[in-house]
Amino acid sequence: MIFTQSLHNHTTFDDGKNTPAEMAAAAFDAGLAGLGLTAHSPMENEFWTVKPERMAEYRAELARLKIEYAGRLNVWCGLEYDLTSDRKWLDGFDYVIASVHALETTRGLWALDDNRERSRRMIVIAFEGDRDAAAEAYYAKVKEISAIPEADVVGHFDLITKFDEPEPLYDAASPRYRAAALDAMEALVQAGKIFEINTGAMSRGYRTSPYPAPPLLRALREMGGRVTITADAHSRENLAFAFDQAEAAARAAGFTELWEFDGVGFSPRAL
Ligand SMILES: [Zn+2]
Ligand SMILES: [Zn+2]
């Protein structure tokens, strides 16, 4: 494993199991060079996001840990911004990962990563069984990240495939699926966004490979896109889960560098 930063993680401030202090201690013990925590941006009635009234406390705790670990471990205060959250939450973080976790349709708001049955029902009910139409709606939303200047990184680009093992809900090889994904990808690359190779669904037992799928990762490489590696950990054991496999996926797609956070922006590191 050559990538020693863990930039996308959750804590007890949102839907993670461990406190920021526990995550920092685990990152230090694991020999990581950098730890970024990325609380889910506040959303009304969503238990998995930071409560607005706790945001100041989140920032203060991260500021405290930065000082406590100075010279031993870089600690960063990040945000995982959901596109349905208020834009006011985007300000004042070291970096922002922007993600789409839900789709607003004429037949309700659908969470994309709750469970397989809900994802299946969304296709059936909201898209009348047309899975390519669901994919088109999802990637159109993901494309909107290109218009958010504060967003540095695109979160789990093909999250809709979370429950595609062993039996796919989506046909990622269909021309419509691919066109929608590549259209979003192109806009995001043009806007300078970095893509995650995200192992979060692996550590939680849903997938055997990281996001994005290999064909999308190859397309990203051909477009000149940039990648980083993240664990999307919700507990301290998973801070660098399957990073070796993520690095192998990057190499297999032809990438020769990974982008790491340097405290101000992102800079390349040879792979
Ligand atoms: Zn996410
Ligand atoms: Zn996350």
Side-chain angles (χ1 to χ4, degrees):
M1 183 178 117
I2 66 147
F3 198 75
T4 56
Q5 299 188 335
S6 185
L7 297 174
H8 179 169
N9 301 294
H10 301 278
T11 69
T12 46
F13 278 92
D14 50 325
D15 58 347
K17 282 190 195 140
N18 296 107
T19 63
E22 289 168 344
M23 294 294 260
F28 179 74
D29 289 346
L32 293 177
L35 171 71
L37 300 179
T38 48
H40 284 293
S41 55
M43 291 162 73
E44 247 175 79
N45 303 320
E46 298 289 352
F47 70 92
W48 50 278
T49 67
V50 182
K51 290 194 172 62
E53 62 271 23
R54 291 199 75 199
M55 197 52 110
E57 190 190 338
Y58 171 67
R59 292 177 194 271
E61 176 61 357
L62 272 283
R64 188 188 72 76
L65 288 169
K66 271 185 205 215
I67 294 166
E68 183 181 335
Y69 282 89
R72 298 187 293 150
L73 170 73
N74 288 309
V75 175
W76 296 301
C77 182
L79 182 78
E80 183 175 12
Y81 176 75
D82 185 278
L83 264 71
T84 56
S85 286
D86 195 301
R87 289 263 187 131
K88 72 179 178 188
W89 298 114
L90 281 163
D91 292 335
F93 295 94
D94 288 324
Y95 58 88
V96 172
I97 296 173
S99 302
V100 174
H101 298 101
L103 268 189
E104 181 78 60
T105 73
T106 52
R107 291 176 190 157
L109 179 72
W110 296 84
L112 299 167
D113 57 348
D114 269 8
N115 59 66
R116 183 183 165 90
E117 180 56 14
R118 185 162 302 180
S119 291
R120 191 192 67 77
R121 283 168 56 83
M122 180 187 79
I123 295 172
V124 171
I125 295 169
F127 295 96
E128 295 173 343
D130 184 348
R131 55 189 175 175
D132 285 343
E136 285 164 350
Y138 169 72
Y139 284 112
K141 195 76 194 163
V142 173
K143 186 179 178 180
E144 292 178 19
I145 295 169
S146 61
I148 302 175
E150 294 91 342
D152 301 290
V153 177
V154 181
H156 36 64
F157 179 68
D158 52 354
L159 179 72
I160 48 169
T161 63
K162 179 171 178 177
F163 307 110
D164 271 13
E165 292 183 30
E167 198 165 320
L169 290 170
Y170 289 91
D171 177 6
S174 90
R176 284 173 62 200
Y177 180 100
R178 205 169 149 77
L182 296 187
D183 179 57
M185 185 182 281
E186 186 87 53
L188 293 161
V189 170
Q190 291 301 320
K193 307 307 183 195
I194 294 171
F195 287 66
E196 298 181 305
I197 299 178
N198 176 319
T199 64
M202 297 173 71
S203 61
R204 285 181 282 172
Y206 295 108
R207 291 172 58 108
T208 54
S209 62
Y211 304 108
L216 292 177
L217 211 47
R218 280 196 299 277
L220 182 62
R221 169 71 193 97
E222 284 158 17
M223 282 181 202
R226 300 182 292 163
V227 290
T228 189
I229 290 177
T230 64
D232 206 345
H234 289 66
S235 60
R236 60 186 160 196
E237 309 79 48
N238 295 328
L239 283 167
F241 190 89
F243 272 21
D244 282 329
Q245 196 175 330
E247 288 173 7
R251 281 194 199 93
F255 288 97
T256 55
E257 53 196 25
L258 297 170
W259 289 74
E260 57 183 20
F261 190 63
D262 59 21
V264 181
F266 284 78
S267 44
R269 176 192 184 120
L271 175 59

